[in-house]
Structures are given as structure tokens and as C-alpha cells.
């Protein structure tokens, strides 16, 4: 378990001292975070690192999970897609199933806290089922810039009860929402098993264990099997790239507990890449394993992130922190993380030729990737590490408790 002191060697003493200073007004403040999964996906990743560090800074921070049935997660995945612009058939049955999970949770979970932070749409209705005695914050990790409007109007009936909404990008700010909206960029934990330094022996061991040969360069996308991450599009790119430079594709996507669509999208990828998978040229991995993600990011020649929508995209900062060249879509939070041509490459998600050309360019000229990687790591150090996120949350708590 890390404590704040461990980060001093990465971000410097002044950053650590300023966090302790800012937290002085918050000693023993009881804060609860609620989301709907312990693992899989960016929210669980962040809370795993953030909640213990909040405690180390002196805040009394807790983390609970809203339980749900498979039906509930089917619906909330539809809502997630709808918030990113997908269509939703919003029936009364769906609304009932959606609110039921919050109502049940409220019947046994006692919120004796000074502030509640609710993450994403799954537990959003909780606020309706508790007697509100403290400020409530809705922390939305999704791109809200173009939601399905019928769904948005329905969800607003809960959001309007909140004291503050936190979004990941200034572009997600909604003019039609009269609740204070604060921007906090997500961040990665440089000391977690996913991002810590690993030695060559460990890399060899994990690649062997998960069946990834090292005879040719690997291009890789690490992402849940999700339509918005466009894994089929990555296979399209790979097919063209390998005609120019011999390489292998690894798609690594664990199945998040709150994402029931994973299997379906995985099957689509298998269908699309059947021959390449049989030939061992495309490797699909569904294990949940942080060190494996770490090793894959470090040992790949190019990291692709071909999302068509992306609330933030922690995988991008994870790869940049490891000094890896990233070729990614210029959507949502990805555009915040990469300076095009300097710390990676940004492309329109429809521009397949662009993705192909940039990937081939890096494979042919590894020195180009190395140079970008060094700058990329410094950019992440400055803006996207967990210490900055912790400091932002402490700032938020200071403001909301005034
Ligand atoms: N991840 C993982 N194993 C996988 C695929 C993803 O641990 O097989 C992690 C990934 O490294 C990142 C998080 O899940 O930390 C995904 O966060 P991101 O913001 O990229 O996307 P989200 O899944 O939240 O849409």
C-alpha cells in the first residue's frame, strides 16, 4: 500500500507538502465514494489509488459499491451508451429497474458522512432515496457533450438534486444544467502495479505466460471490448499495417463487472479476425491482470487507442507514462492528453489511412517514437498523475464544505 511520501521521488517534495497543507482543514471529514464495480474500467482504477491516499492526507474517505442484477447492468450500459449519443428506448420498466437498485441500497446502507461523491450514472438515483444532510457531488466520467436528449432529461431529474457535478473535460459542460460544474481531469497512479517500473525478467515472464511471442514488433490496444473503443477498427488498421511492416496485434480487454456488452463485442472481433487469430498474428486477451497491462504497454512498439468516444481514456496516459508512442483518436479526453506530433499522434477516428500511416511510420523509425515518448512522460508527470487528482479533490472538498 502506497502512502503520499512514496510519491515524493516522482513529483517532488513541494507537491506532497502542498497536499498535506491543503488537507489540514479536512481532518476526519467523512467522505463516501460510491460506484458500481471494484474492477474493470477507469473509475475503479482511479478509486483504488485515490481513496487510500485521501485517508493518508487526513480525510476519512470510504468507498462502497452499488450492487446490481444483470438486468440493472444491461440498462445502465444502455444509459452509458445513451449519454454518449446512442439511442435508448426509455420505458417505464427500465426506469423502475434503474431506480430499484438505488432504493434497495438505501434500505441498508447508512450514510453517516459529511459529503457523498457518486460516480457515473449507475448510482445516480441514490440521492432520491436518502435524507439529504450533506453536500452531494455527481462525478461523471462520461463524455456528456452530445447525449440522447430524452435520456438526459430523465437523468436530470436526479442530477438537479446534486450540489455539484464534476466532469472530465471543459467541453462536456452543459449549458442546460443549472448545477455548478467543475472540471477535474482523471489521472493515473505511477506506483500501482499497472504503472510501476518492471524489470526485463518480469516482462519476459508475463509475455510467455500470456502467449505473446517476441519475434516481431507488437501493436496493442488495451481496452474493454466495447463498441466505442472500436476494436474491430483496430483489426482493420492492423491488416493494412502488416502489409507494410511485419508485426503482431494484441487486443487486451478484461470484462468489467458492470459491462454486459463485452462478450458480444469480443465475438464480433473474433468473427472479423478469425484467420489472423488462428495464425497467431492477432492475440486476444481477456484476463484482468494489472502487471500484464503494464508489461504489454512497455513491450509494444505502438499503442493504438481507436475510440470513437472517450470520457478520458486512462490507457493513453498509462502508455505515455511508459514513454510509448501512442496513435489515437482525437476525441473526448484523449485530445487533452496528447500534443499531436509532439507527444503522440491524434487522428480523426474515421481516418483509417492516417492511423495506418502513423503506425507504419513509427514501426519503421523507432527513434521517432522514443523521442516523443520522453516528452510524453514529462507531460503526464505535470498533469495526469494521482497526486494532482488528490489535490483537486481536496480543493473540491474545501470549497464544498465552506
Ligand atoms: N484495463 C485493464 N485491463 C484490460 C483493459 C483495461 O486493466 O484488459 C484498464 C486500463 O489499463 C485502464 C482502465 O482499465 O486503467 C480503463 O480506463 P479508461 O479510462 O481507458 O476506459 P474505461 O474502461 O473507463 O472506458
Amino acid at each position: 500500500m502506497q502512502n503520499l511520501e512514496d510519491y515524493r521521488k516522482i513529483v517532488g517534495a513541494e507537491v506532497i507538502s502542498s497536499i498535506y497543507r491543503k488537507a489540514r482543514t479536512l481532518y476526519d471529514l467523512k467522505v463516501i465514494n460510491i460506484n458500481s464495480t471494484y474492477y474493470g474500467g477507469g473509475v475503479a482504477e482511479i478509486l483504488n489509488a485515490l481513496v487510500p491516499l485521501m485517508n493518508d492526507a487526513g480525510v476519512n474517505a470510504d468507498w462502497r459499491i452499488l450492487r446490481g442484477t444483470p438486468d440493472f447492468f444491461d440498462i445502465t450500459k444502455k444509459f452509458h451508451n445513451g449519454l454518449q449519443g446512442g439511442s435508448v428506448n426509455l420505458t417505464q420498466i427500465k426506469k423502475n429497474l434503474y431506480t430499484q437498485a438505488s432504493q434497495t441500497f438505501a434500505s441498508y446502507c447508512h450514510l453517516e458522512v459529511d459529503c457523498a461523491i457518486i460516480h457515473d450514472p449507475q448510482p445516480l438515483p441514490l440521492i432520491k432515496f436518502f435524507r439529504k444532510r450533506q453536500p452531494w457531488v455527481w462525478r461523471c466520467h462520461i463524455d456528456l457533450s452530445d447525449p440522447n436528449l430524452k435520456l438526459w432529461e430523465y437523468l436530470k431529474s436526479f442530477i438537479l438534486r446534486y450540489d455539484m457535478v464534476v466532469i472530465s473535460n471543459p467541453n462536456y459542460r452543459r449549458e442546460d444544467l443549472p448545477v455548478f460544474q467543475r472540471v477535474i481531469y482523471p489521472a493515473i497512479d505511477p506506483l500501482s502495479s499497472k504503472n510501476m517500473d518492471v524489470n526485463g525478467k518480469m516482462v519476459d515472464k508475463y509475455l510467455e505466460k500470456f502467449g505473446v511471442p517476441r519475434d516481431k514488433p507488437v501493436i496493442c490496444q488495451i481496452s474493454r471490448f466495447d463498441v466505442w473503443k472500436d476494436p474491430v477498427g483496430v483489426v482493420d488498421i492492423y491488416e493494412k499495417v502488416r502489409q507494410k511492416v511485419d508485426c503482431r496485434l494484441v487486443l487486451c480487454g478484461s470484462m468489467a463487472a458492470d459491462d454486459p456488452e463485452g462478450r458480444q463485442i469480443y465475438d464480433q472481433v473474433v468473427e472479423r479476425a478469425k484467420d489472423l487469430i488462428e495464425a497467431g498474428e492477432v492475440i486476444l486477451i481477456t484476463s484482468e491482470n494489472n502487471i500484464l497491462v503494464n508489461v504489454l504497454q512497455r513491450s509494444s512498439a505502438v499503442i493504438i487507442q481507436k475510440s470513437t468516444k472517450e470520457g478520458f481514456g486512462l490507457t493513453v496516459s498509462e502508455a505515455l507514462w511508459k514513454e510509448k508512442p501512442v496513435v489515437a483518436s482525437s476525441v473526448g479526453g484523449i485530445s487533452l492528453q496528447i500534443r499531436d506530433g509532439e507527444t503522440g499522434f491524434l487522428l480523426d477516428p474515421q481516418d483509417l489511412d492516417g492511423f495506418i500511416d502513423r503506425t507504419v511510420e513509427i514501426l519503421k523509425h523507432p527513434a521517432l517514437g522514443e523521442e516523443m515518448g520522453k516528452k510524453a512522460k514529462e507531460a503526464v508527470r505535470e498533469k495526469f498523475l494521482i497526486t494532482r487528482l488528490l489535490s483537486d479533490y481536496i480543493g473540491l472538498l474545501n470549497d464544498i464544505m465552506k
Side-chain angles (χ1 to χ4, degrees):
M1 181 60 63
Q2 319 296 344
N3 58 42
L4 261 173
E5 162 64 16
D6 300 322
Y7 294 80
R8 192 169 72 165
K9 58 185 181 292
I10 298 173
V11 294
E14 174 47 37
V15 169
I16 305 302
S17 157
S18 79
I19 290 173
Y20 281 124
R21 231 176 8 250
K22 260 170 99 172
R24 251 166 225 156
T25 42
L26 302 176
Y27 289 160
D28 270 337
L29 185 85
K30 289 197 184 68
V31 177
I32 193 159
N33 289 275
I34 303 175
N35 80 320
S36 60
T37 178
Y38 283 111
Y39 68 90
V43 180
E45 181 71 21
I46 288 171
L47 290 175
N48 249 309
L50 184 67
V51 177
L53 289 179
M54 275 185 161
N55 280 282
D56 194 29
V59 180
N60 185 335
D62 199 348
W63 173 18
R64 297 289 164 89
I65 307 291
L66 174 80
R67 294 152 188 79
T69 59
D71 276 355
F72 170 75
F73 288 122
D74 273 344
I75 290 164
T76 54
K77 182 68 205 249
K78 289 195 174 87
F79 284 10
H80 177 109
N81 292 343
L83 280 177
Q84 299 204 130
S87 64
V88 186
N89 177 17
L90 193 61
T91 60
Q92 193 56 44
I93 295 177
K94 287 198 183 98
K95 291 181 187 173
N96 292 348
L97 271 163
Y98 176 53
T99 51
Q100 181 71 53
S102 285
Q103 194 167 10
T104 306
F105 183 87
S107 70
Y108 59 78
C109 180
H110 305 280
L111 287 194
E112 270 138 36
V113 296
D114 303 304
C115 179
I117 306 179
I118 307 301
H119 296 260
D120 275 352
Q122 295 92 335
L124 173 68
L126 280 175
I127 195 164
K128 210 174 146 180
F129 300 105
F130 281 95
R131 188 172 177 80
K132 190 167 173 288
R133 298 191 176 90
Q134 60 286 87
W136 282 58
V137 177
W138 185 47
R139 199 316 173 206
C140 179
H141 299 261
I142 301 170
D143 178 349
L144 285 179
S145 51
D146 183 26
N148 172 300
L149 286 179
K150 217 168 147 200
L151 173 68
W152 176 242
E153 284 307 315
Y154 168 62
L155 295 181
K156 258 191 254 101
S157 65
F158 307 106
I159 302 169
L160 292 175
R161 295 170 182 253
Y162 281 78
D163 299 274
M164 189 191 288
V165 171
V166 176
I167 47 179
S168 296
N169 186 327
N171 296 338
Y172 304 164
R173 191 168 269 128
R174 301 247 6 137
E175 295 304 329
D176 63 349
L177 187 65
V179 178
F180 181 74
Q181 295 164 64
R182 184 170 181 132
V183 179
I184 297 187
Y185 299 143
I188 62 161
D189 179 1
L191 296 179
S192 71
S193 52
K194 187 172 285 173
N195 298 311
M196 68 187 185
D197 287 338
V198 291
N199 60 30
K201 235 168 115 183
M202 184 83 103
V203 172
D204 293 346
K205 184 176 140 191
Y206 271 77
L207 293 182
E208 199 189 325
K209 183 170 163 194
F210 286 92
V212 182
R214 309 196 74 179
D215 52 340
K216 41 182 147 180
V218 164
I219 66 178
C220 178
Q221 176 164 292
I222 312 267
S223 275
R224 288 179 296 107
F225 286 94
D226 177 312
V227 67
W228 306 98
K229 313 279 185 186
D230 197 14
V232 171
V234 181
V235 176
D236 294 340
I237 292 165
Y238 168 67
E239 245 186 0
K240 293 280 170 13
V241 168
R242 71 191 290 268
Q243 290 169 5
K244 299 184 181 175
V245 185
D246 194 17
C247 59
R248 188 168 269 120
L249 172 65
V250 175
L251 292 173
C252 176
S254 58
M255 301 287 169
D258 62 350
D259 180 1
E261 277 177 359
R263 180 52 53 182
Q264 200 184 322
I265 305 295
Y266 177 88
D267 290 345
Q268 284 174 15
V269 177
V270 171
E271 183 61 31
R272 168 69 184 79
K274 208 183 274 162
D275 296 343
L276 290 164
I277 294 170
E278 273 166 22
E281 300 294 288
V282 171
I283 297 174
L284 306 186
I285 300 176
T286 55
S287 310
E288 166 82 21
N289 188 312
N290 285 343
I291 297 183
L292 171 68
V293 169
N294 190 337
V295 161
L296 283 173
Q297 286 168 333
R298 281 178 199 281
S299 58
S300 295
V302 182
I303 299 287
I304 310 271
Q305 192 62 53
K306 169 76 184 50
S307 311
T308 51
K309 284 263 179 176
E310 192 63 77
F312 183 72
L314 289 176
T315 48
V316 171
S317 274
E318 286 164 7
L320 298 176
W321 179 247
K322 299 176 183 88
E323 303 190 13
K324 283 293 152 183
V326 179
V327 180
S329 304
S330 52
V331 296
I334 298 178
S335 310
L336 298 169
Q337 299 174 69
I338 293 180
R339 291 195 298 271
D340 186 31
E342 214 183 314
T343 60
F345 288 120
L346 286 175
L347 293 147
D348 184 300
Q350 306 307 326
D351 181 11
L352 283 197
D353 288 339
F355 269 90
I356 295 160
D357 292 347
R358 291 311 198 186
T359 306
V360 168
E361 193 181 347
I362 299 169
L363 287 172
K364 284 191 171 160
H365 307 286
L368 168 72
E370 282 163 28
E371 198 185 312
M372 287 198 309
K374 288 204 168 52
K375 284 191 202 152
K377 181 167 190 171
E378 290 318 306
V380 173
R381 193 192 308 274
E382 200 184 305
K383 277 184 149 166
F384 301 118
L385 293 187
I386 195 79
T387 37
R388 193 271 308 143
L389 183 64
L390 175 64
S391 175
D392 284 357
Y393 268 99
I394 290 172
L396 176 155
L397 291 169
N398 268 316
D399 289 348
I400 209 161
M401 297 313 299
K402 264 182 198 151

